[in-house]
Amino acid sequence: MGNDTLLTRALKGIRGERPPVWFMRQAGRYLPEYRAVRERHSMLDVIRTPELAAQVTLQPLERFDLDGAIIFADILNPLIGMGIELDFVEGEGPKIFNPIKSPADIEKLLVPDPQKNTGYTLEAIRQVVSVLRPRGIPLFGFAGAPFTLAWYALGEAGKGGAQGRAIKELIFHQPEAWRLLMDRLVELISSYLIAQAEAGASALQIFDSWVGVCAPSTYKEAVFPAVLEVVTRVRSATDLPIVYFPLGGIGLADSVKQLPVDAVSVDWRVSLSGADSAYGHTFSLQGNLDPALLFCPLDTVRKETSRVLDEGATVKRAHIMNLGHGLLPHTPIEAVAEVVRLVREYRYEGEAAR
Ligand code: CP3
C-alpha cells in the first residue's frame, strides 16, 4: 500500500528508525535519461503524454533508493485550461503569452474540470501507482498555491516581468478583482488536488514558490485565506498527508502555522530547529539541504547531509529528508546517490529514537 509507508507516516508525524528521503525535481535535467526524452519531446508534450510522464517520474527511482516519487507535471500547465497561454522556453523557463492585465481578464478566466483540463496527469498518476504500489513507494501529487499561480498568470516571472508590482497593485488597489482571481484559483487547485488523490496519489504538496515576496501583513490578509480555503477543501475530501511549501516564507510562520496541513517544506535559509520553533512544533518538517551544496566535493556533501539529519532528529514531530528547493540542472549524480546512501544508513538514537 502506498498509504502506510515510512514517508506517509513521517508526513503524519510518526517517526520511523530513520527519516525518509526524496527530492523535489528528482526527475529532471541532471539525469541523462531525462535529457534523452526531452531531446525528442517538448516539456508540454512530456507532461501531456501519460506514458512519457510516467516514464520520467520513474527514472530517478531506477537509479536511487528513494522513499517517494512525485508525479511529473508542472504547477503551470493547469492554467492553460483557464485561458492562460504558456510554454516552457529552453533556457528561459516558463513564458506566459497573454498575462492578465485587467479585472476584465480575470472575469474571463474559466474554471475547467480537472478531468478535462489535466486528465493526462491523472492517467499518468494511475500508471505510476500501478508500478509503485507493489514496491511500497508512495507518489506525491501536487499543485501550485493561489498566490504563486497568480504571480505567473500576471506575467511577474521571467523577462519583462514586473517583479511584484502588478500583483501588489492588484492586491492593494483592486481588492475585488484580486479576490475573484483567488476564488477561481482556489477552485482550480482544490478540485485538481482532490482529483489527484482519487487517481491514487498518496500525499499532496502545495508549492508557494513566490510567497517570500510578501510582507507578513499582506500574506495574512490577502494570501493566507486562499491557501486555507484550498487546504480546507482538500482536507474535507481526503485524509492524505498535505505538505505546504512557502519558499523563502519563514517570516510568514505566524500565519502558516494555522494551516491544517501535516507538514511544511523548509528552505535552507532557516535551520530546521529554527523552523520548528517558528511553526510552534506543529508540523512535520521536510528539507532543507541547500541544493547548491551538491556541487561541492563529496566530503562537504556528507558533512552537510549529516548536519541536516542530526538537526532533523531534534524536530518535535518528524523529519523528511529533502532539499531546501529543487535539484538544480547540472547536479552531479554521485552527490544525489551519496545523500540517499547516508540517509538510508542513518538511525535515530536516544531521545530521537521513538
Ligand atoms: O520532479 C519533480 O519535482 C516533479 C515535477 C515538477 C516540475 N516542476 C517539473 C519541471 C514540479 C513539482 C514542478 C513545480 C514547479 N514548477 C514550481 C514549484 C517548485 C519550485 O521550483 O519553486 C515552479 C515555480 C514551477 C515553474 C517552472 N517550471 C519554472 C520556474 C521552470 C523553469 C525553471 C527550470 O528549472 O527550468 C519550470 C520548468 C520545469 N518544470 C522543468 C521541470 C523538470 C525543466 C523543464 C525542462 O525539462 O526543460
Side-chain angles (χ1 to χ4, degrees):
M1 269 294 287
N3 292 334
D4 186 26
T5 63
L6 191 69
L7 174 57
T8 47
R9 283 194 299 270
L11 291 169
K12 286 282 187 187
I14 305 160
R15 234 188 255 218
E17 57 177 7
R18 63 163 175 92
V21 56
W22 71 281
F23 302 105
M24 293 185 270
R25 291 276 165 96
Q26 64 188 28
R29 286 159 297 181
Y30 74 107
L31 291 175
E33 56 272 33
Y34 174 82
R35 291 198 300 271
V37 172
R38 284 281 285 104
E39 255 164 45
R40 288 183 292 123
H41 308 275
S42 73
M43 177 72 180
L44 277 176
D45 282 347
V46 179
I47 293 176
R48 286 168 167 167
T49 312
E51 291 70 25
L52 291 176
Q55 180 192 341
V56 164
T57 301
L58 293 167
Q59 284 175 344
L61 289 109
E62 279 148 30
R63 270 187 191 264
F64 314 112
D65 260 334
L66 295 159
D67 295 302
I70 182 161
I71 193 65
F72 191 83
D74 198 85
I75 60 167
L76 298 178
N77 58 281
L79 291 176
I80 296 171
M82 294 188 102
I84 308 259
E85 292 157 31
L86 60 93
D87 204 353
F88 297 89
V89 181
E90 205 68 59
E92 270 185 54
K95 184 155 176 53
I96 311 295
F97 299 110
N98 59 341
I100 292 168
K101 292 285 178 221
S102 66
D105 290 344
I106 296 172
E107 275 163 35
K108 275 186 257 157
L109 292 175
L110 308 167
V111 180
D113 168 72
Q115 181 58 47
K116 277 199 200 111
N117 188 31
T118 39
Y120 45 81
T121 299
L122 304 177
E123 174 55 22
I125 289 175
R126 285 187 284 270
Q127 291 184 13
V128 170
V129 166
S130 73
V131 176
L132 291 185
R133 266 264 148 102
R135 287 170 62 183
I137 299 175
L139 176 70
F140 268 95
F142 71 89
F147 181 85
T148 289
L149 292 189
W151 177 274
Y152 284 100
L154 287 156
E156 292 282 18
K159 294 202 174 89
Q163 313 297 331
R165 281 164 55 187
I167 204 164
K168 288 177 190 169
E169 171 92 16
L170 194 60
I171 290 173
F172 283 92
H173 293 286
Q174 317 256 15
E176 275 173 35
W178 172 253
R179 268 193 297 276
L180 182 62
L181 178 57
M182 289 295 95
D183 287 350
R184 300 257 159 110
L185 287 169
V186 164
E187 182 65 38
L188 178 90
I189 295 160
S190 42
S191 61
Y192 181 42
L193 287 169
I194 293 165
Q196 292 182 72
E198 286 166 354
S202 293
L204 300 168
Q205 178 152 330
I206 301 167
F207 288 92
D208 221 344
S209 305
W210 284 99
V211 85
V213 304
C214 289
S217 53
T218 309
Y219 182 80
K220 184 178 174 190
E221 282 153 35
V223 178
F224 173 80
V227 186
L228 179 62
E229 183 62 25
V230 168
V231 176
T232 304
R233 288 191 195 188
V234 176
R235 252 293 163 262
S236 71
T238 162
D239 58 8
L240 292 187
I242 305 173
V243 186
Y244 179 58
F245 182 22
L247 177 62
I250 193 66
L252 313 173
D254 281 344
S255 295
V256 170
K257 72 183 178 197
Q258 294 169 35
L259 287 173
V261 296
D262 302 285
V264 289
S265 218
V266 178
D267 66 65
W268 65 93
R269 296 165 187 89
V270 60
S271 66
L272 286 174
S273 50
D276 204 27
S277 312
Y279 291 124
H281 310 280
T282 43
F283 300 133
S284 292
L285 298 185
Q286 176 172 275
N288 69 344
L289 191 62
D290 179 346
L293 286 177
L294 298 188
F295 292 84
C296 290
L298 285 182
D299 267 359
T300 307
V301 173
R302 287 187 201 107
K303 223 185 282 165
E304 286 300 302
T305 301
S306 301
R307 198 184 51 71
V308 173
L309 287 169
D310 288 343
E311 206 162 320
T314 71
V315 166
K316 175 128 188 269
R317 296 197 77 211
H319 174 223
I320 297 93
M321 185 63 177
N322 204 310
L323 304 175
H325 198 183
L327 272 164
L328 295 162
H330 302 286
T331 303
I333 287 172
E334 313 80 70
V336 178
E338 191 62 10
V339 175
V340 174
R341 195 182 64 73
L342 285 172
V343 181
R344 290 227 147 214
E345 277 177 2
Y346 191 82
R347 290 294 176 271
Y348 288 126
E349 285 170 6
E351 183 64 354
R354 57 188 154 81

